[in-house]
């Protein structure tokens, strides 16, 4: 059964056609949420995504990619489960978090990716407590 996804304030939906410009050539840290309409966990994760935007706006570019409609980048980055949150910077995938969880659990999974990225690129820490 397919469930239409909700629009999440601060997120923009991208496609195979826009992925290159929106993600790979972006000068910003980009968070891409890979989801599909028939994924019940994706729907349950939407409140966490909204909280994530609230706490991290200005630190990430927030995008969503519907894997029901786009296949090229799903395959390229070996996205095998939804929801999967991918962090990109300077055209490179920095890491992924698979699954839906509450904000605190999600942040604990996201933190090692952000720390490694900040160290690699000599960026200021990316936290919601800045």
């Amino acid at each position: 059964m397919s469930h239409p996804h909700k629009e999440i304030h601060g997120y923009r939906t991208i496609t195979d056609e826009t992925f290159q410009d929106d993600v790979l050539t972006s000068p910003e840290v980009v968070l891409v949420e890979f989801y599909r309409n028939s994924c019940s966990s994706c729907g349950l994760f939407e409140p966490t995504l909204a909280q994530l935007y609230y706490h991290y706006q200005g630190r990430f570019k927030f995008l969503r990619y519907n894997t029901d409609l786009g296949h090229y980048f799903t395959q390229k980055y070996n996205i095998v489960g939804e929801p999967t949150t991918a962090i990109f910077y300077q055209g490179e995938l920095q890491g992924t978090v698979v699954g839906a969880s509450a904000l605190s659990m999600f942040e604990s999974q996201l933190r090692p990716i952000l720390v490694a990225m900040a160290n690699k690129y000599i960026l200021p820490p990316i936290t919601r407590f800045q």
Side-chain angles (χ1 to χ4, degrees):
M1 183 169 154
S2 182
H3 304 282
H5 72 90
K6 296 177 187 170
E7 291 297 322
I8 301 172
H9 176 74
Y11 287 76
R12 192 165 43 81
T13 301
I14 58 173
T15 64
D16 281 344
E17 292 75 29
T18 63
F19 200 99
Q20 176 74 32
D21 289 339
D22 286 328
V23 178
L24 302 180
T25 60
S26 177
E28 302 165 276
V29 176
V30 182
L31 181 144
V32 179
E33 184 60 30
F34 288 84
Y35 74 99
R36 61 186 161 83
N37 288 336
S38 60
C39 167
S40 59
S41 294
C42 297
L44 294 172
F45 192 46
E46 287 175 348
T48 298
L49 293 174
Q51 290 176 319
L52 198 66
Y53 176 78
Y54 173 77
H55 290 297
Y56 289 88
Q57 61 185 318
R59 295 181 189 94
F60 296 132
K61 181 179 187 180
F62 293 90
L63 303 170
R64 295 186 86 196
Y65 180 92
N66 186 335
T67 62
D68 289 328
L69 305 175
H71 304 287
Y72 178 79
F73 291 98
T74 303
Q75 293 171 350
K76 179 174 178 159
Y77 295 109
N78 198 29
I79 305 299
V80 294
E82 292 90 4
T84 293
T85 305
I87 303 295
F88 291 85
Y89 186 63
Q90 293 191 346
E92 294 181 20
L93 176 64
Q94 303 297 317
T96 59
V97 177
V98 179
S101 60
L103 182 63
S104 60
M105 176 64 79
F106 182 80
E107 284 181 310
S108 70
Q109 296 172 304
L110 185 63
R111 192 169 294 113
I113 298 167
L114 299 177
V115 168
M117 189 180 74
N119 290 336
K120 179 179 178 181
Y121 295 101
I122 312 173
L123 299 171
I126 302 170
T127 69
R128 69 172 159 146
F129 304 109
Q130 286 178 302

